[in-house]
Amino acid sequence: MSRLGALLALLGFLTVLARAEDAVLKTAVEGKPFNVFQELKKECDPGCQQCNRELGECECPYGLSGPTCQVALWPACRTSTTAGLPVFVGRRAPRNCHCYAQLFRATCLPGSESRCSSHTVAQWPELKCFEQVDKAEQEQLSELPEKLDDPKYRWRKGVLVPAPAGGAAAAAPGAAAGRAEHKDMQTLLVAPTLKEIGDTMALSKCPNRCRDRGICIANSETIKTPSCLCHPGFTGTDCGDAVPPASLPLLCPNGCGGRGSCVAGFCACQPPYWGIGCSRSRAYQPAPDSISHPYYPSLKIYMYDIPISVVGPQPFDDSDTTVYPIYQASMHLMDMFLADGGGVRTENPWEANLFYVPTFAYYSTANLGDPTAAVVRAIDWVAAKFPFFSRYGGRDHFVVMTADRGACYLKPLNQTRNLIRLVHFGLEKPNLTEMGPLVEEREYGCFKGGRDVVLAPYFRPKAGVVRTVHEKLLAPGGAEELLKDKSVLFFFSGDVRHHEPEYSGGVRQALSALLSNTTSGGAGVPADVVFKAGFQPITAEEYEQLLGSAKFCLAPYGHGWGIRLTHALMHGCVPVIIQDRVRQPWEDLLHYPDFSIRVSKAELPRLVELLRAVPAEDVAALMREGARVYRAFVWQPELGGLAYNYTLASLRRRLSHIRGELYEAGTRRR
Ligand SMILES: *[C@@H]1O[C@H](CO)[C@@H](O)[C@H](O)[C@H]1NC(C)=O
Ligand SMILES: *[C@@H]1O[C@H](CO)[C@@H](O)[C@H](O)[C@H]1NC(C)=O
Ligand SMILES: *[C@@H]1O[C@H](CO)[C@@H](O)[C@H](O)[C@H]1NC(C)=O
Ligand SMILES: *[C@@H]1O[C@H](CO)[C@@H](O)[C@H](O)[C@H]1NC(C)=O
């Protein structure tokens, strides 16, 4: 930013603050009521099942909208015209080509076709679709033909073609030349075979058409008669039964709080409840003529109830709702927040000092996708419905992104620039290139210290291991005793990916080369160094056993953040963090040198030597402290986990940071 730009930004911020302080002053001078609120009970259409009383808008299942949820947002994705049926857009069964085109228009950022908030659309080149040749777009449905080669149907597939030269995407700074792509469709001359479309067939071949709540499949080998594969939340031979939300806690936020049923990620709430996870029953507004201002003495977080059609769908496949556990922190964080763990939640945005923007980004990005479209859609909604986003340019709004690369791909835009990002990957590196052309934030790369938060990943500790190992470590002399039994100096097992130098920032590759270098002293790998390269080269039991018998365990990153730090701590092994410029979970709250060793990539050649030189009493002390801090890395409160508490503590610090930003902006730029 230029000096003038910085000055202007500072002046702008000062004006905003001055206005707020003015307001507070006015209450004193003019005797206006300050932070006095009254309940808000906006009405919805009488035909609405679930009314958001804050906005007076009806809450609808995915793909539906309008005062009584009568509007189909992407009509060609429906399998029938029966009103009120939820819409599913998984990837297994082909949909109507118009369905994909409608989704594409709704979920991809204009001028940036690679940035879409729909996981299905992100799979564009793998999509096959059909359309009825003699019907208008508004009559097209996603009901597969009974015969795949029915001449009344035409088959197409998604293709990516280079965008026209000089297009907006090509001109974007940071976009590598020739990478801009345009999503198109190509007509297939021959209808696909059943196998090519995942053994899916017309709903009419299945019992009760699976009640339009599933897809119909059969393959000659394992499933002989056409059977329903029900969409998430439904079960039974014809998908006629609903799965109780409590048995699908992650599919619907907080299991709908026990106050509703879960319809494919949407909580259909019992009155008077509404909102995400059926957690709302009240809304507020300032009393007439009163002045309202964020309440600063304690953390008060307001979460926006963004409609599922804006930030969904949540389950992204036709039947499978599984999210690999290490990516689940965002879901558990939300569940604990909805249950108001920690007493920080407010349903009154006028007194809130932080705003939680639920983007459900993981469901559209999966582990390596780009969250920009999901975040932009969420923020556009938030900024259109409430006055709070523009107040501080989004500085007091946060988003949670637990994919491998967290916020690396979050494009800097007005909607995203100032957001607080809660991520697993704290890579702080300007002018980042090795993560590919999607990294456009030149100033910080993936993470900005002081603003963003690194969350511990979600990992289910083995209660038995924790009990035996940690109890011993915390008992007097226990660490020393455990250390005596450790025969391995240093351990790592995992993928190396020699041909992907950016994987782990090159650490795994460099270490592999080093340890296989028999010319250095001729000794090769020392007997007490165990380095197993490959994707799961040893069994889970061997892996855990080695974590337990090693003094030091490598904690590198992978495609993005890594889980090894947590593994090492659980087994009483001292983590050796080799992640240049990557901030670790809660690094501003925990004192890492007390329980880990940090080595830079440049020091790798001396690694074994360095570790051997650590005195035994220091190793024992590191192990003991590791056991003491371990609960910060555990999300499960039933196991004493404090990860949620640490999240709140980090946000409290951000709160003072936001308030202190004025001061900092003044000093940092001097
Ligand atoms: C952590 O937070 C939970 C509520 O979420 C609270 O009940 C518990 O007391 C907290 N624990 C600590 C050690 O602060
Ligand atoms: C972004 O915000 C700035 C400052 O408010 C404004 O001048 C600019 O027009 C906005 N840009 C876009 C693309 O909306
Ligand atoms: C990043 O790149 C820009 C433009 O090339 C340059 O002006 C800036 O100094 C670089 N920043 C760092 C920290 O290298
Ligand atoms: C292997 O060891 C030799 C001799 O010490 C050294 O010159 C060479 O750079 C090493 N290679 C690697 C990949 O570390």
Side-chain angles (χ1 to χ4, degrees), residues 543-554:
Y543 177 66
E544 295 196 14
Q545 195 267 325
L546 276 159
L547 285 169
S549 55
K551 294 173 193 166
F552 296 101
C553 293
L554 178 66

Side-chain angles (χ1 to χ4, degrees), residues 520-533:
S520 57
V525 185
D528 58 354
V529 169
V530 180
F531 187 89
K532 304 261 187 201

Side-chain angles (χ1 to χ4, degrees), residues 13 197 427:
F13 194 73
I197 57 167
L427 178 62

Side-chain angles (χ1 to χ4, degrees), residues 137-155:
E137 173 164 355
Q138 59 272 22
E139 289 170 44
Q140 303 269 347
L141 291 175
S142 283
E143 165 75 302
L144 272 161
E146 298 221 348
K147 290 178 64 177
L148 295 180
D149 59 359
D150 184 333
K152 292 214 270 318
Y153 288 77
R154 171 167 55 218
W155 283 86

